[in-house]
Amino acid sequence: MKKAKINDIGLLSRRVLYVVIALSAIVFGAFFVVPRGGASEMMLTGMLIVFLMMVLVGAMAVAAWSVAARLRKRNRQTSEVATIPAGRISLGVVVAVGLIMAAGYLLSPGGSIVVNGGEYDNRLWIKTAGMFIIAAGSLMSVAVMFIVANYLINRRK
């Protein structure tokens, strides 16, 4: 089997991008244009949801394949780039983000909320949404603190 060249992979990537963009334009265009022409809006809503789920599952499959291929090909030695332990930093970031998300899930409230006049009481999804809000806020706060600290440190020099 012939190995793919870098240019071939780039060409394939661009073509897949163009296909996804074209399909997205068609599906979203149909969702916004066709109901005005008399078609059932419920049918097009289902089509939109199925399309978004297919794109999400495809992206997750490609990401999982990429991680698996990277793990198979990686060097088993310590990964240091210019005396910086890149492997340890990567592992530390993954563990820290995982801990922040777990803490966010545990700390987020799980009570019911009112959305558009209706009560929504699915505890799992309320806590999951809270987890992402807490994690995003925490990570943005940490980023702002590092930016300010870097500015203050470099201002003195």
Side-chain angles (χ1 to χ4, degrees):
M1 187 166 134
K2 183 179 143 185
K3 287 245 183 191
K5 295 180 183 174
I6 300 283
N7 293 339
D8 295 340
I9 293 172
L11 180 66
L12 176 65
S13 174
R14 276 192 305 276
R15 287 186 178 164
V16 168
L17 175 67
Y18 295 150
V19 167
V20 170
I21 289 172
L23 287 174
S24 298
I26 291 169
V27 169
F28 282 99
F31 181 76
F32 287 111
V33 173
V34 172
R36 292 188 187 117
S40 170
E41 192 171 339
M42 296 303 289
M43 178 186 73
L44 295 176
T45 303
M47 178 184 69
L48 181 64
I49 291 172
V50 167
F51 174 72
L52 292 175
M53 289 296 190
M54 288 172 39
V55 169
L56 179 66
V57 167
M60 290 172 58
V62 169
W65 174 78
S66 176
V67 168
R70 178 78 174 165
L71 288 175
R72 273 185 293 162
K73 291 181 180 179
R74 74 182 172 130
N75 191 352
R76 296 292 179 196
Q77 299 173 354
T78 59
S79 57
E80 289 192 10
V81 179
T83 68
I84 298 174
R88 289 183 183 168
I89 292 172
S90 296
L91 181 62
V93 168
V94 168
V95 169
V97 169
L99 289 174
I100 289 171
M101 292 186 85
Y105 186 82
L106 293 173
L107 294 174
S108 65
S112 63
I113 59 174
V114 177
V115 178
N116 292 334
E119 187 175 0
Y120 187 74
D121 61 351
N122 191 331
R123 183 173 170 81
L124 171 72
W125 290 115
I126 291 173
K127 288 188 75 70
T128 302
M131 171 191 70
F132 283 116
I133 292 169
I134 290 172
S138 301
L139 292 173
M140 284 190 280
S141 299
V142 168
V144 167
M145 286 189 299
F146 277 116
I147 290 169
V148 169
N150 187 30
Y151 173 75
L152 293 175
I153 290 170
N154 289 329
R155 185 181 60 149
R156 295 182 195 165
K157 292 182 181 182

